[in-house]
Amino acid sequence: MMIKKKNHTFLFSWIFLAMINAQNTTIPVNVGVVLDFDSGGGKTAKVYLSCIEMALSDIYASHPYFKTRIVLSTRNSKQTVVGAAAAALDLIKNAEVLAILGPETSMEASFIVNLGDESHVPILSFSASAPYLTSLRSPYFFRITQTDSYQVKAISGIVQNFGWRQVVPIYVDNMYGEGIIPFLIDALQDVDAHVPYRSVISPSATGDQIIKELYKLMTMQTRVFIVHMKPNLCSKLFSMAKEIGMMSKGYVWVLTDGISNRLNSMNSSVITSMEGVLGIQTFIPRTTELEKFELRWKGQFQQDNPTIIDVQLDVYALQAYDAAFALAMSIENVGISTSSEIHKDASSNSTNLDTYKVSENGPKLAEALSITRFKGIAGDFKLVEGQLQSSTFTIVNIKSEGEKPVAFWTPENQMVKKLNDSTNTASILSTNSKSNLGPIKWPGNSLSVPRGWEIPTNGKKLIIGVPVKIDFTEFVKITKDPKTGTMDVTGFCIDVFHAALKVLPYALPHEFTPFSNPDGTSAGSYNDLVYQVYLGKFDVVVGDTTIRANRSLYVDFTMPYTESGVVMVVPIIDRTSKNAWVFLKPLTWDLWLTTFCFFLFTGFVVWVLEHRINEDFRGPPSHQFGTSVWFSFSTMVFSQKENVISNLARFVMIIWVFVVLILTQSYTANLASLLTVQQLKPTVVDIKDLLRKGDNVGYSKNAYVYGLLKEVGFNDSNLKGFRTMEALDEALSKGSANGGIAAFVDETPTMKLFLAKYCSKYTMIGPIFKTEGFGFVFPKRSPLVPDVSQAILAVIEGEQMMSIESKWFKKESNCQSSSQLGSSNSLGLDSFWGLFLIAGVASIVALIIFVASFLYQNGHLLIDPDSEASTSERIGVLFKIFNQKDLNSRTFKSSQPRDRITDARDEVNISPNNNWPESPFSYSNHSDGNSEQHTPPSGQASLESVPRHGFL
């Protein structure tokens, strides 16, 4: 037992010595840390450093077999780029570090990256987020944080979600502030948002300078601001904004993640001044490992820094932890040797830029960092081209008790309301809309979404330009009081504008300014007037301004409030028919032809149905033809004297008489209209006729219609401009042949106004060109355009628009109805084809019934197998039978006994040995005898009994 116990003791001793020996054989690796220990008493730098140290402690505790051990060398950047560069150079040259963690700012990183390139020392920054650092394309720079260009999509998503049209960025005047602006503007343009102004604030700006810039912003319409700067300057900005009332209702503030990620490091008074602000934060999954780490870190930090209380971790502290963890793993994977530097210059104890050492392990370490993958405290650690990839952002609403998440933004699904708790990945619950965000408390404790703009608070009114018109003043009329010099602007367009302003939920102070020269005449064309808005001389233009594509390139129009299109006004003449052939005009030629054919067809049908049983439809062929035609045409005046006996013929005539009644009544009414009602017709119906004939055409001066007519092909010699209604009326009355014009071309509203005064002499043709109508003119991307357009729609849909039109566009009492102008009044076949269809079907059905009945009685003549007659002879026999009287009909039963055929030579005996019943004609009175033969029963006729006249 004693020997066994000694053996165990020896074994444990050997393992303990081996572990001590393994610790003594680890390779120390110098790694530099550059942080700012001067700002805020170095509290933030100490937080970052504690996370880096804890990361190294954790990885070596969980991996005791690692052969390398990082030894940190810390330097102070002293809040300056020069201080950071000096610290990095000292670490590279004197401390002979293999890598550097830091610095904190992008400006410091841009200089240190160059040093890393020259010395092959990897630089790992966990907080430098400026996009321009990517352009350095250094293989030794690793950004362990998201670049600012990633968050601009989330910011533009917020702007789009609430429908804001204009945004003003407020950023610090340095490389960090300017770096995000190009990406932000591009993202805003993608969602149709405009940046009318950029507010730049110096990093060293005083409170007075900040207030001066804020007052400048208050004089603008835009109320949506995006703030991008460091937390210390942001704190000063919001304190001043609250002081002057810019944190009240109607304002919108959005913070970039450079501020939102560090909200926990700001003073509570600053957070109170930022209440109602929205912020973009890098999303960090709340995992069990993170919660345990926060507890361990807080205890360790308080132990190491007992004087610093109430401190919390931010995103950059967690990313510093992951950066140190990744660096330790990469160094171990590379396998660092003890002598791994190549001296560029042998001098020491110097910070000269041209005397430093080049790391032999730098390229291998950079490659190892690029392929390192693990699940970090801050999320998935994966670098692509030295850059941490875009992840989810949290949209937070800052309140007095702290920030509250209201939505999330993911690269895959854009704006979503919730994330999948099990996987911390976005799952879409609904599409982009205001409902996708949780309840938001806006500045001024408002719960309603700000519209993003307000009328400036400096008392400035909107300057509204109006055209100066000589005629057609019903649209815009400017009256000047000679005593006071004040101007009164009235008219149709002005009333519509005032009606729209009454619908708006806010007041819109304004004043009208004529677009005129000092002498009171018009200062230019409508294009010139619209262009004044682009130049900033007018805020709005109200008048008879047409929405045109070329104008919309530099201004925005509201929705149109009048009818669209360019029309042509031409004289009208009385073309009441007074010629000898006017009686043919009530019906079109196709209806005349169809009616004539149906008269003949109906007469034929009645003849077929009545021929065997009605004496009126028998006799010589000419007599039968004349009777049938006469009978059919006499139905027009219902004067037919022939009676119809067959029920089928009566059925046909009932339908046909009804058709004739409708036709005659319609003909009579239309003929009376043609002879008595005044028929007013335009002299021209197509603008191409004017062009082909070379007629003169008028247009309104200073209007775009002149250009349209030139495009069609009119010469200047055929175009005449007019300004007044009287001159236009005189020219149209003269006509083109007498030095006047054949037509006048202008927009629909203008021509409606002209016709309201001269409607008895002219009519409107068209539209001949397509336009969008009249609209109000605003500057490009003006936030007023959607609201005014919606107000115009409300006015148009209500009764108010009708009252405005009736007020300004009064018609003459003797105006003719538009139904009396234009197309022919002749009735066509398309109005009566249904009647003809019914009549035709009825006649055909009657024919079919008659033929079927006739064949049923006499069809055996066609199918008798014992007969030697040919098919044509048999069909001829049927026609012979059809031509004979139907002696069994009621008409002939009451007549005298039938004549008998006495001439034996007329009898036909085709077969002396046949079994057919004898024909009724075989029982006839012969010329040389008086014996009377009896007629056999009906239907028992035979070929032998029918005379063969014309058949043999």
Side-chain angles (χ1 to χ4, degrees):
M1 289 295 293
M2 291 297 294
I3 295 175
K4 189 174 182 180
K5 185 174 183 181
K6 288 180 180 180
N7 290 337
H8 286 171
T9 303
F10 174 77
L11 179 61
F12 287 134
S13 299
W14 182 84
I15 294 174
F16 178 74
L17 292 175
M19 292 178 63
I20 295 176
N21 184 54
Q23 291 179 355
N24 292 334
T25 58
T26 56
I27 301 173
V29 178
N30 292 330
V31 171
V33 179
V34 178
L35 298 172
D36 181 11
F37 289 94
D38 290 347
S39 299
K43 182 173 70 172
T44 302
K46 291 177 181 178
V47 170
Y48 295 159
L49 182 60
S50 65
C51 288
I52 293 173
E53 292 174 343
M54 184 167 287
L56 299 179
S57 175
D58 290 346
I59 191 171
Y60 293 136
S62 59
H63 302 81
Y65 51 84
F66 277 11
K67 296 182 179 180
T68 56
R69 293 293 186 272
I70 291 179
V71 178
L72 297 177
S73 297
T74 306
R75 297 292 187 272
N76 185 7
S77 66
K78 301 178 181 180
Q79 304 186 56
T80 64
V81 174
V82 175
L89 186 59
D90 177 59
L91 289 171
I92 293 173
K93 183 174 182 180
N94 299 325
E96 299 181 355
V97 296
L98 189 63
I100 294 178
L101 291 167
E104 296 181 51
T105 68
S106 299
M107 295 180 63
E108 295 171 354
S110 64
F111 195 93
I112 295 179
V113 167
N114 294 325
L115 296 178
D117 282 347
E118 294 294 331
S119 60
H120 295 180
V121 173
I123 309 298
L124 288 78
S125 177
F126 46 82
S127 58
S129 58
Y132 69 86
L133 293 175
T134 305
S135 63
L136 299 177
R137 300 189 183 282
S138 171
Y140 296 98
F141 176 63
F142 297 90
R143 195 203 306 260
I144 319 299
T145 188
Q146 295 193 81
T147 176
D148 289 336
S149 61
Y150 290 162
Q151 63 177 316
V152 296
K153 290 293 184 181
I155 296 174
S156 65
I158 296 176
V159 174
Q160 182 185 28
N161 208 286
F162 293 105
W164 297 320
R165 297 288 302 277
Q166 291 189 350
V167 175
V168 171
I170 305 176
Y171 57 95
V172 61
D173 188 14
N174 57 24
M175 297 177 68
Y176 169 74
E178 295 173 352
I180 194 176
I181 297 303
F183 300 93
L184 179 61
I185 292 178
D186 289 344
L188 291 173
Q189 288 178 346
D190 289 342
V191 296
D192 198 24
H194 177 55
V195 178
Y197 177 75
R198 305 180 190 183
S199 178
V200 184
I201 297 179
S202 171
S204 58
T206 63
D208 292 339
Q209 291 173 330
I210 294 177
I211 288 179
K212 181 179 179 180
E213 181 64 20
L214 291 177
Y215 273 127
K216 186 176 181 180
L217 295 177
M218 291 180 69
T219 63
M220 302 178 183
Q221 286 187 349
T222 307
R223 289 294 181 264
V224 181
F225 307 108
I226 298 175
V227 182
H228 180 64
M229 54 186 62
K230 291 300 180 181
N232 54 349
L233 184 60
C234 178
S235 301
K236 189 184 298 185
L237 173 72
F238 278 97
S239 297
M240 299 296 102
K242 187 174 181 62
E243 180 180 333
I244 65 174
M246 290 186 70
M247 296 302 297
S248 58
K249 183 178 180 180
Y251 285 89
V252 177
W253 298 85
V254 180
L255 307 178
T256 60
D257 64 353
I259 304 170
S260 303
N261 288 340
R262 290 170 171 164
L263 288 174
N264 52 17
S265 64
M266 293 184 178
N267 190 282
S268 58
S269 61
V270 176
I271 298 297
T272 302
S273 67
M274 297 170 65
E275 189 171 359
V277 174
L278 295 179
I280 308 294
Q281 285 185 348
T282 303
F283 174 72
I284 302 296
R286 296 298 302 177
T287 60
T288 305
E289 291 77 7
L290 177 59
E291 294 175 354
K292 292 180 180 179
F293 169 75
E294 287 177 339
L295 291 175
R296 290 192 299 111
W297 172 85
K298 195 164 188 177
Q300 184 65 41
F301 185 82
Q302 290 296 329
Q303 181 180 348
D304 297 339
N305 303 277
T307 58
I308 302 176
I309 58 174
D310 194 21
V311 64
Q312 296 180 8
L313 293 172
D314 59 22
V315 172
Y316 302 112
L318 301 178
Q319 291 172 345
Y321 179 96
D322 288 346
F325 200 95
L327 181 60
M329 292 178 61
S330 300
I331 290 175
E332 178 65 25
N333 292 334
V334 169
I336 304 301
S337 61
T338 54
S339 63
S340 58
E341 287 80 27
I342 302 174
H343 290 267
K344 183 176 180 181
D345 193 285
S347 62
S348 60
N349 298 322
S350 173
T351 58
N352 293 332
L353 296 180
D354 59 346
T355 56
Y356 51 81
K357 301 173 182 179
V358 177
S359 173
E360 183 182 76
N361 293 307
K364 293 185 291 184
L365 180 57
E367 183 179 357
L369 283 168
S370 299
I371 62 176
T372 299
R373 305 283 188 274
F374 63 92
K375 186 75 172 180
I377 292 295
D380 292 333
F381 187 93
K382 178 182 178 182
L383 301 177
V384 177
E385 296 182 354
Q387 171 67 55
L388 192 67
Q389 292 305 288
S390 175
S391 64
T392 302
F393 289 98
T394 305
I395 315 300
V396 298
N397 183 208
I398 300 176
K399 301 182 180 181
S400 56
E401 60 272 15
E403 67 268 21
K404 179 182 178 181
V406 294
F408 300 90
W409 187 92
T410 67
E412 300 82 10
N413 304 318
Q414 308 299 312
M415 196 76 69
V416 293
K417 191 172 183 179
K418 292 182 180 180
L419 294 177
N420 190 317
D421 294 334
S422 62
T423 61
N424 288 322
T425 58
S427 58
I428 300 178
L429 299 183
S430 58
T431 57
N432 281 3
S433 65
K434 296 179 183 180
S435 62
N436 276 5
L437 278 73
I440 298 176
K441 188 176 183 181
W442 302 96
N445 293 323
S446 174
L447 296 179
S448 58
V449 178
R451 62 172 176 262
W453 64 274
E454 296 287 346
I455 301 301
T457 58
N458 59 356
K460 177 184 175 182
K461 296 182 179 180
L462 290 178
I463 305 301
I464 300 179
V466 293
V468 176
K469 302 179 68 65
I470 297 176
D471 209 342
F472 298 100
T473 55
E474 286 82 356
F475 291 112
V476 176
K477 184 177 182 180
I478 303 173
T479 306
K480 187 174 182 179
D481 191 333
K483 295 181 179 179
T484 62
T486 59
M487 286 182 301
D488 184 26
V489 183
T490 58
F492 170 77
C493 301
I494 305 301
D495 284 359
V496 173
F497 182 71
H498 284 152
L501 293 187
K502 292 180 181 179
V503 178
L504 295 178
Y506 48 84
L508 199 63
H510 61 276
E511 63 180 40
F512 294 106
T513 302
F515 181 54
S516 61
N517 296 317
D519 59 356
T521 59
S522 177
S525 65
Y526 278 82
N527 285 339
D528 298 330
L529 173 60
V530 171
Y531 196 66
Q532 303 306 306
V533 176
Y534 176 76
L535 297 177
K537 295 182 180 180
F538 292 143
D539 297 316
V540 188
V541 166
V542 173
D544 50 339
T545 311
T546 306
I547 302 172
R548 298 286 294 163
N550 62 323
R551 297 171 181 173
S552 63
L553 296 176
Y554 45 89
V555 295
D556 277 347
F557 289 91
T558 62
M559 70 167 296
Y561 58 90
T562 62
E563 295 181 47
S564 62
V566 174
V567 297
M568 180 171 61
V569 168
V570 298
I572 52 178
I573 59 175
D574 184 6
R575 292 184 177 177
T576 303
S577 299
K578 297 180 177 68
N579 59 74
W581 303 101
V582 67
F583 65 90
L584 295 176
K585 193 172 181 181
L587 306 181
T588 59
W589 68 268
D590 56 341
L591 183 55
W592 277 117
L593 181 61
T594 303
T595 304
F596 178 78
C597 292
F598 261 82
F599 271 120
L600 296 180
F601 177 66
T602 303
F604 169 74
V605 172
V606 172
W607 174 79
V608 170
L609 299 177
E610 294 289 313
H611 176 66
R612 300 190 68 209
I613 62 175
N614 194 335
E615 288 288 356
D616 292 335
F617 292 91
R618 300 187 61 80
S622 59
H623 173 75
Q624 296 183 45
F625 176 77
T627 302
S628 301
V629 174
W630 157 257
F631 176 82
S632 179
F633 278 90
S634 63
T635 57
M636 287 192 298
V637 291
F638 309 104
S639 62
Q640 65 275 13
K641 64 179 182 178
E642 293 81 9
N643 295 322
V644 289
I645 299 174
S646 168
N647 287 332
L648 290 176
R650 291 172 178 174
F651 169 72
V652 170
M653 288 306 299
I654 290 174
I655 302 299
W656 178 242
V657 168
F658 175 74
V659 173
V660 170
L661 176 64
I662 299 298
L663 284 173
T664 54
Q665 295 296 324
S666 300
Y667 173 85
T668 303
N670 203 18
L671 180 61
S673 174
L674 290 173
L675 295 175
T676 59
V677 178
Q678 188 182 29
Q679 300 296 314
L680 300 177
K681 299 296 179 67
T683 56
V684 181
V685 295
D686 193 346
I687 193 172
K688 294 181 180 179
D689 294 337
L690 297 172
L691 186 62
R692 184 173 56 255
K693 296 177 182 179
D695 290 337
N696 296 332
V697 176
Y699 66 93
S700 181
K701 288 186 176 180
N702 295 330
Y704 67 92
V705 176
Y706 172 78
L708 295 178
L709 295 174
K710 291 286 290 183
E711 292 178 3
V712 173
F714 284 95
N715 298 322
D716 287 330
S717 59
N718 297 118
L719 297 177
K720 295 186 177 183
F722 296 90
R723 290 185 181 273
T724 65
M725 290 189 186
E726 290 74 14
L728 173 58
D729 174 44
E730 182 181 356
L732 284 171
S733 300
K734 287 182 178 180
S736 180
N738 299 319
I741 58 176
F744 184 81
V745 179
D746 209 332
E747 295 167 286
T748 301
T750 305
M751 292 296 90
K752 288 178 65 177
L753 180 60
F754 177 75
L755 290 179
K757 187 175 182 180
Y758 299 102
C759 61
S760 60
K761 300 170 63 177
Y762 310 105
T763 187
M764 190 165 59
I765 305 297
I768 56 177
F769 299 107
K770 180 65 177 176
T771 61
E772 293 299 326
F774 294 165
F776 302 133
V777 183
F778 286 86
K780 266 293 187 183
R781 299 180 180 86
S782 171
L784 285 170
V785 172
D787 290 351
V788 176
S789 295
Q790 188 174 4
I792 290 174
L793 185 61
V795 173
I796 292 176
E797 292 179 347
E799 298 181 356
Q800 191 173 5
M801 192 66 177
M802 298 179 62
S803 63
I804 295 175
E805 288 182 348
S806 61
K807 174 183 176 182
W808 293 103
F809 303 152
K810 296 180 180 178
K811 291 186 177 181
E812 291 183 355
S813 58
N814 61 340
C815 286
Q816 298 288 339
S817 172
S818 60
S819 62
Q820 298 175 352
L821 305 176
S823 62
S824 171
N825 292 324
S826 299
L827 299 174
L829 180 61
D830 54 346
S831 301
F832 299 97
W833 68 268
L835 289 175
F836 287 114
L837 177 64
I838 295 173
V841 170
S843 298
I844 293 173
V845 169
L847 281 177
I848 293 173
I849 295 175
F850 173 80
V851 171
S853 176
F854 180 76
L855 292 178
Y856 176 76
Q857 296 176 5
N858 303 285
H860 61 279
L861 299 177
L862 293 176
I863 60 176
D864 187 3
D866 297 329
S867 174
E868 297 179 357
S870 65
T871 302
S872 60
E873 289 177 338
R874 298 183 186 194
I875 294 175
V877 170
L878 288 179
F879 278 107
K880 291 292 184 178
I881 296 175
F882 170 76
N883 196 37
Q884 295 174 0
K885 295 180 180 180
D886 186 359
L887 300 179
N888 290 325
S889 67
R890 182 177 59 83
T891 304
F892 298 118
K893 282 183 178 181
S894 59
S895 63
Q896 295 180 356
R898 292 176 294 275
D899 296 335
R900 310 255 174 81
I901 301 176
T902 59
D903 193 352
R905 291 173 298 179
D906 294 338
E907 294 182 0
V908 179
N909 293 311
I910 298 178
S911 176
N913 299 319
N914 65 76
N915 296 323
W916 288 5
E918 292 185 320
S919 169
F921 294 99
S922 63
Y923 299 90
S924 59
N925 293 326
H926 296 281
S927 58
D928 58 345
N930 295 323
S931 62
E932 184 175 357
Q933 296 178 339
H934 300 281
T935 304
S938 175
Q940 300 300 317
S942 65
L943 290 177
E944 292 82 349
S945 64
V946 181
R948 300 178 59 190
H949 296 241
F951 289 93
L952 294 178

